[in-house]
Amino acid sequence: MAKGNKTVLTMLITVVILVAVFSGFGVSLFSSGTPQVVLPTATPTETVEPGGNPSGTGGALRVEVTQQTVQKVIATLARPESYYREVTLETFWGEDESETATAQVWVDGGYTRIDTLLPSGTIEHTIVGGEKRYRWYNSDREYFQTDASVNDADLMQHIPTYENILALDRAAITATGYEEKGGLDCIYVEVAEDELGYWERYWVSVERGLLVAAETVKGEKTVLRMGAYSVEIPVREGAAFVLPDGTVLYEGSD
């Protein structure tokens, strides 16, 4: 198959997977501030550290996540208002065929910039903020502008958002717990197979409130894998929320 046709097919496969698996995701329920996993019904005897080790008294109570509590726990998490990180997305199909895209992500002042290196070698630039989405490629000076939805900043990173866990029927959550992933203490959630045969698993950082890993599986085969384990807080100085024609959308925090 010609390289150009293969690239188009790969992008179409990725879009189909994302739409099929993540189309039900809703409005972000995150607020600003320092994330804490705290439930009002918690007592010292219920406190559990990540990995299931009982903690002493003092500080925020970390409630053991179960099928009954995990949605409440996730609802207390908050993403940082300003950060930088790199995201890797692997797409798998056919017989051991795969491609990898990587993205640099800057978030600050309600704006998100994503520079994605696609498998074809094309660099896709996206800025989301002010209820608008801007996109251009490579060093082009022309860009596309459209209205942005509430979860576009995640979707433009080609990553799933995990807020849909909060809207799930509790019976759809098949496994929960605290797990270490990429050296981070995370809340782990596994979701039952949907009508298309896909099931998902998520790892959410307890400390940062960010989704750091996710996998979509069909049968025993992983079809989509996302990872983003390191984060810089706040966003690095000089982050450019600037359009290719020189228009400054946001100058960054002091």
Side-chain angles (χ1 to χ4, degrees):
M1 181 183 296
K3 182 178 179 181
N5 290 337
K6 182 179 178 182
T7 299
V8 172
L9 178 60
T10 299
M11 294 181 70
L12 287 174
I13 291 172
T14 301
V15 170
V16 169
I17 291 173
L18 288 170
V19 170
V21 179
F22 306 124
S23 60
F25 291 10
V27 176
S28 172
L29 299 178
F30 292 97
S31 59
S32 61
T34 303
Q36 296 186 70
V37 182
V38 182
L39 296 183
T41 56
T43 67
T45 58
E46 294 171 326
T47 303
V48 176
E49 292 292 347
N53 299 318
S55 70
T57 59
L61 298 180
R62 187 168 292 147
V63 178
E64 183 177 7
V65 291
T66 66
Q67 184 181 16
Q68 288 71 38
T69 66
V70 68
Q71 290 166 309
K72 293 180 181 179
V73 172
I74 289 176
T76 68
L77 299 179
R79 307 188 197 198
E81 293 183 338
S82 176
Y83 65 90
Y84 166 82
R85 68 174 181 167
E86 297 181 2
V87 177
T88 299
L89 180 74
E90 299 172 275
T91 306
F92 304 88
W93 72 95
E95 294 296 328
D96 299 322
E97 294 185 272
S98 67
E99 288 192 338
T100 301
T102 58
Q104 294 178 289
V105 182
W106 296 264
V107 176
D108 196 28
Y111 281 83
T112 300
R113 173 167 177 154
I114 309 107
D115 289 352
T116 305
L117 177 61
L118 299 173
S120 64
T122 298
I123 299 177
E124 177 187 84
H125 307 278
T126 307
I127 298 178
V128 180
E131 300 183 351
K132 297 292 181 182
R133 180 177 67 245
Y134 309 88
R135 173 173 286 176
W136 68 99
Y137 295 89
N138 296 325
S139 57
D140 293 348
R141 293 188 59 82
E142 295 184 356
Y143 59 88
F144 305 94
Q145 176 181 324
T146 58
D147 292 335
S149 65
V150 292
N151 60 348
D152 268 6
D154 286 326
L155 296 179
M156 293 304 101
Q157 296 175 58
H158 305 285
I159 68 172
T161 57
Y162 56 84
E163 291 88 341
N164 72 315
I165 296 173
L166 304 179
L168 287 172
D169 186 307
R170 190 173 293 171
I173 300 173
T174 56
T176 63
Y178 287 106
E179 287 191 3
E180 183 178 300
K181 187 72 169 176
L184 302 173
D185 290 331
C186 296
I187 298 170
Y188 172 75
V189 181
E190 187 174 297
V191 181
E193 183 177 297
D194 64 16
E195 63 275 7
L196 297 177
Y198 295 95
W199 58 279
E200 302 93 44
R201 46 195 176 202
Y202 303 85
W203 290 264
V204 184
S205 169
V206 171
E207 180 183 4
R208 301 302 185 191
L210 292 167
L211 180 72
V212 298
E215 293 181 352
T216 301
V217 182
K218 188 168 187 179
E220 297 297 322
K221 183 177 178 59
T222 299
V223 296
L224 191 68
R225 178 187 296 141
M226 166 265 178
Y229 300 109
S230 62
V231 59
E232 298 177 17
I233 301 174
V235 70
R236 59 178 61 178
E237 187 176 350
F241 298 94
V242 181
L243 298 177
D245 64 358
T247 300
V248 178
L249 298 174
Y250 177 69
E251 294 188 12
S253 302
D254 295 332

